[in-house]
Amino acid sequence: MKKIGLLMLLLAAASACNSGGTSFKASDIIENRHGEVSNEERLYQFYENTVSGEADAVRVTTFTTEGDPTYQDLYFDGNKIKSVEDSSEDKYGSGEVVERECSSILVLTSEKEMVYVLESCDPESEDPTILHLQE
């Protein structure tokens, strides 16, 4: 019985170590592996929900050249976007977790590309790009 209790405690602690303490369904995760993007339509749905004022949340996982994940969690409460950028698993990165509050997300398009950008963030970001898609 003690072993089961210990196992449950370890599982609970491990799940709390998830970036930001939030778990995302697989359908809410957009992956960017060196330009190969999966589930990109989910990010567009998030954008549409911000335009219509519907609360939503997604995670964009980008993999470094070495294969380390970095996370950008986006939470929309119906009014503002909270962005949490987590590079703690990037061996060669800063290892920081940076939170920003942004007024909106823009989708910039041309014939060959689509770029998702956060707008009016506090604190400001040197690169407000969330995802850059090219044909």
Side-chain angles (χ1 to χ4, degrees):
M1 190 65 163
K2 287 182 182 181
K3 289 181 182 181
I4 293 173
L6 180 59
L7 181 60
M8 299 279 287
L9 181 64
L10 289 173
L11 287 173
S15 65
C17 291
N18 182 18
S19 176
T22 301
S23 60
F24 287 87
K25 296 183 293 186
S27 60
D28 291 334
I29 298 174
I30 298 94
E31 287 193 356
N32 181 4
R33 292 183 184 268
H34 315 291
E36 294 292 321
V37 179
S38 65
N39 204 21
E40 65 190 71
E41 62 281 348
R42 180 61 182 92
L43 187 56
Y44 191 79
Q45 181 184 11
F46 176 82
Y47 160 74
E48 287 183 325
N49 288 341
T50 66
V51 171
S52 67
E54 185 178 333
D56 199 1
V58 295
R59 168 175 279 179
V60 178
T61 305
T62 303
F63 292 88
T64 66
T65 304
E66 299 80 22
D68 297 333
T70 61
Y71 307 100
Q72 184 166 14
D73 297 346
L74 301 170
Y75 306 94
F76 181 64
D77 64 4
N79 188 32
K80 294 180 183 173
I81 298 170
K82 178 181 175 184
S83 169
V84 180
E85 299 169 39
D86 181 351
S87 63
S88 62
E89 294 182 40
D90 181 0
K91 293 177 192 148
Y92 299 102
S94 67
E96 294 180 318
V97 176
V98 178
E99 292 187 22
R100 290 186 170 77
E101 191 171 278
C102 306
S103 65
S104 62
I105 181 173
L106 299 176
V107 181
L108 309 173
T109 60
S110 72
E111 288 183 24
K112 299 201 181 239
E113 63 185 357
M114 180 181 279
V115 182
Y116 291 86
V117 179
L118 289 173
E119 186 175 54
S120 301
C121 296
D122 182 28
E124 286 186 24
S125 174
E126 288 180 26
D127 182 11
T129 303
I130 300 167
L131 188 63
H132 189 167
L133 303 169
Q134 296 180 327
E135 284 188 21

